[in-house]
Amino acid sequence: MYDVIVVGAGATGCTAAKTLSENGYKVLLVEKFKMPWYKSCSGQLIKKTVDLVQEYFSAAVPASVMCTPTENRGMIFTNDKGKEFRFEQPGLNVWRSSFDNWLAMKASECGVEVRDCTPVHNDFLDI
């Protein structure tokens, strides 16, 4: 029996599951895909996120989850009229597949039971 079931082993789900487990809850973290799953994208972690990973997971983002270039200096968004909006801040570039899997492993180390290949259907949630 679990106190909490967290659905989705992305960054938010892993963080929630780990935090709940550290606060004494018996937690099951379910992911519908086989982990590590393929995500075709990288992710940009802004400085605040890098700091939060350090705070919540007591570890720096490992080099093994980073993509090239490992560091970024921000983002530039362009609207449909060609106007640029700059968001300049140091951060890191990670492969989401590797990063999310690392977070799930860190949650598991704190007592979270991680179960992949486990889709959750609406009738299960009774909503």
Side-chain angles (χ1 to χ4, degrees), residues 76-85:
I76 301 171
F77 300 98
T78 306
N79 69 12
D80 58 350
K81 295 182 176 142
K83 182 173 176 166
E84 289 185 354
F85 299 89

Side-chain angles (χ1 to χ4, degrees), residues 103-116:
L103 293 174
M105 289 186 331
K106 296 296 282 180
S108 177
E109 291 170 7
C110 293
V112 174
E113 182 180 333
V114 179
R115 193 176 301 168
D116 62 358

Side-chain angles (χ1 to χ4, degrees), residues 2-22:
Y2 300 96
D3 298 313
V4 180
I5 298 173
V6 177
V7 179
T12 302
C14 290
T15 303
K18 181 181 178 298
T19 301
L20 287 161
S21 181
E22 290 174 334

Side-chain angles (χ1 to χ4, degrees), residues 7 120-127:
V7 179
V120 176
H121 304 283
N122 285 343
D123 57 342
F124 174 79
L125 298 174
D126 197 33
I127 54 175

Side-chain angles (χ1 to χ4, degrees), residues 6-91:
V6 177
V7 179
T12 302
C14 290
T15 303
K18 181 181 178 298
T19 301
L20 287 161
S21 181
E22 290 174 334
N23 283 282
Y25 294 94
K26 185 167 172 58
V27 181
L28 173 65
L29 174 62
V30 297
E31 171 55 48
K32 68 180 170 181
F33 298 112
K34 174 80 175 136
M35 294 173 64
W37 60 93
Y38 173 74
K39 286 191 176 182
S40 61
C41 62
S42 63
Q44 296 181 343
L45 306 181
I46 62 173
K47 182 181 180 331
K48 182 175 183 176
T49 304
V50 172
D51 293 344
L52 287 171
V53 168
Q54 179 69 48
E55 178 182 340
Y56 283 98
F57 290 87
S58 301
V61 176
S64 61
V65 305
M66 292 186 209
C67 57
T68 305
T70 58
E71 296 180 11
N72 70 55
R73 291 176 281 175
M75 297 169 257
I76 301 171
F77 300 98
T78 306
N79 69 12
D80 58 350
K81 295 182 176 142
K83 182 173 176 166
E84 289 185 354
F85 299 89
R86 293 182 170 272
F87 179 76
E88 296 181 16
Q89 185 179 72

